Amino acid sequence: MSSKTPIEGQGCVADVFLVWFGDSKQWDLRCALGPFSFDPAHICSCEFSLQENLIGALLAIFGHLVVSIALNLQKYCHIRLAGSKDPRAYFKTKTWWLGLFLMLLGELGVFASYAFAPLSLIVPLSAVSVIASAIIGIIFIKEKWKPKDFLRRYVLSFVGCGLAIVGTYLLVTFAPNSHEKMTGENITRHLVSWPFLLYMLVEIILFCLLLYFYKEKNANNIVVILLLVALLGSMTVVTVKAVAGMLVLSIQGNLQLDYPIFYVMFVCMVATAVYQAAFLSQASQMYDSSLIASVGYILSTTIAITAGAVFYLDFIGEDALHICMFALGCLIAFLGVFLITRNRKKAIPFEPYISMDAMPGMQNMHDKGMTVQPHLAPFITAQALPIVIQP
């Protein structure tokens, strides 16, 4: 007889076999990793780990959804100002500040989600941002279309949203169920483990090679730039989970802020996020944001899941069926995001225009040296790349 039971600190991840010993005439529980005692606390921790997975997934979905709403609110603010004679700057409007508040709230939700659920579950859920942005963009279209034209133009978005939702469902259902308290001792142990050190060596070498070709050989291919972003992003999410987990434990009464590893992880989190944003900014100047969204999501998610599997051992003890179904969910979500972003109108890199200052009697929103907020796509949220889908 076989069942799932948790290993201490890992949740329900080990196969346990009920074995009959003829000599002693009694049943004994044997774990795949060695003898295992029957303890009701193990069953409770199994249920608790599933609850943590659900809490983390809901926080991540909520955060990405709110961030998408916030970005679209700020976009709406810019469009309304550009189409009116209002001389105010964007940061003097209530709509823009509401968008900023919602963005911070969403980012906080995504950050907190890493403390509850495995990294491999939270990272792919950034597809929710693309789904939400596509739906919001379609709802707020100003033009009137005939039903036939509307379906012809947006059929890819509908199919992409459907696939992304199916992929997200599979990700949540078959996500790894490994849980570990983010204490200073556990994080330090993972940090100096030989699998992670080997992974870091490979990643550093690959990053240096890509950076050399990008800077010295002018290899401005989008895959090169977004691979740099993805490699940095993988370290960002690893450190985000550590920092978020240690903060949650500290709030619960198990103080972790006196461990030096907390500050090491915090500095690495900030540094990698800043450089990630810099490379994304350079990519957005050379390529359309829809292409950045699809390619960036695929590369960043794949490498981040790999980093989580190596550092936090997310898939230890998972059976082959769960791993295959999880991978299938990722592939379906990748395809959905690709179809959604493929349907987006490409941005025109340069549009000649006549300055409104040259036209007498016309007010200009750039009066007094005020400028419009720069385009927010792509925008980093821990690791995700939520892109505002423009109609």
Side-chain angles (χ1 to χ4, degrees), residues 88-347:
R88 291 181 301 169
Y90 65 89
F91 52 81
K92 291 186 178 181
T93 61
K94 294 180 180 180
T95 305
W96 187 85
W97 282 104
L98 175 61
L100 180 62
F101 170 76
L102 290 177
M103 185 183 301
L104 294 176
L105 180 64
E107 295 290 347
L108 181 62
V110 175
F111 179 80
S113 67
Y114 282 90
F116 294 95
L119 188 151
S120 301
L121 169 60
I122 300 301
V123 168
L125 291 180
S126 56
V128 174
S129 294
V130 183
I131 300 171
S133 294
I135 295 174
I136 294 172
I138 292 174
I139 291 175
F140 286 96
I141 292 175
K142 299 299 181 181
E143 299 88 349
K144 294 183 179 179
W145 297 88
K146 295 180 181 179
K148 182 172 63 175
D149 296 333
F150 183 84
L151 289 175
R152 184 186 302 117
R153 182 177 179 186
Y154 292 101
V155 64
L156 286 180
S157 290
F158 288 127
V159 173
C161 286
L163 289 174
I165 291 173
V166 171
T168 301
Y169 172 78
L170 291 176
L171 289 172
V172 174
T173 303
F174 296 97
N177 195 31
S178 60
H179 287 265
E180 184 179 32
K181 295 295 184 182
M182 291 293 102
T183 61
E185 294 91 345
N186 288 338
I187 294 173
T188 303
R189 186 178 68 253
H190 287 307
L191 192 63
V192 298
S193 63
W194 70 263
F196 182 71
L197 293 177
L198 180 61
Y199 172 83
M200 280 298 301
L201 177 62
V202 174
E203 182 166 306
I204 290 173
I205 294 174
L206 180 59
F207 183 86
C208 292
L209 288 174
L210 290 171
L211 189 62
Y212 170 78
F213 284 110
Y214 176 59
K215 294 293 185 180
E216 300 297 331
K217 302 297 184 180
N218 294 322
N220 294 330
N221 187 280
I222 187 172
V223 175
V224 173
I225 303 175
L226 293 184
L227 269 176
L228 291 170
V229 173
L231 292 173
L232 289 170
S234 66
M235 290 299 99
T236 302
V237 294
V238 166
T239 53
V240 163
K241 181 171 178 60
V243 171
M246 295 180 77
L247 284 176
V248 169
L249 284 180
S250 299
I251 293 173
Q252 293 174 347
N254 186 5
L255 186 63
Q256 301 294 317
L257 303 185
D258 53 349
Y259 287 94
I261 191 64
F262 172 81
Y263 302 97
V264 172
M265 287 294 188
F266 182 80
V267 171
C268 292
M269 177 185 71
V270 175
T272 53
V274 169
Y275 282 104
Q276 190 182 356
F279 283 116
L280 277 174
S281 177
Q282 295 172 23
S284 64
Q285 296 174 10
M286 293 183 284
Y287 296 96
D288 184 73
S289 58
S290 61
L291 183 61
I292 296 174
S294 57
V295 178
Y297 173 74
I298 294 171
L299 293 177
S300 296
T301 301
T302 302
I303 297 180
I305 290 176
T306 304
V310 174
F311 189 88
Y312 293 108
L313 307 177
D314 283 348
F315 294 95
I316 289 294
E318 293 293 327
D319 55 58
L321 176 62
H322 276 71
I323 295 176
C324 291
M325 292 302 294
F326 180 83
L328 178 62
C330 287
L331 292 176
I332 294 175
F334 291 165
L335 179 59
V337 170
F338 173 76
L339 291 178
I340 293 172
T341 55
R342 177 183 174 84
N343 194 46
R344 181 182 172 183
K345 295 174 92 176
K346 295 186 179 298

Side-chain angles (χ1 to χ4, degrees), residues 364-376:
N364 182 15
M365 63 184 295
H366 298 283
D367 287 344
K368 301 179 182 179
M370 299 175 181
T371 58
V372 181
Q373 178 187 2
H375 188 48
L376 289 173

Side-chain angles (χ1 to χ4, degrees), residues 60-70 128-129 132 136:
I61 292 172
F62 168 79
H64 290 305
L65 180 62
V66 171
V67 167
S68 296
I69 295 173
V128 174
S129 294
I136 294 172

Side-chain angles (χ1 to χ4, degrees), residues 16-30:
V16 171
F17 302 91
L18 192 58
V19 182
W20 172 260
F21 289 90
D23 296 337
S24 58
K25 296 184 179 181
Q26 63 180 0
W27 292 94
D28 189 18
L29 287 172
R30 294 286 173 176

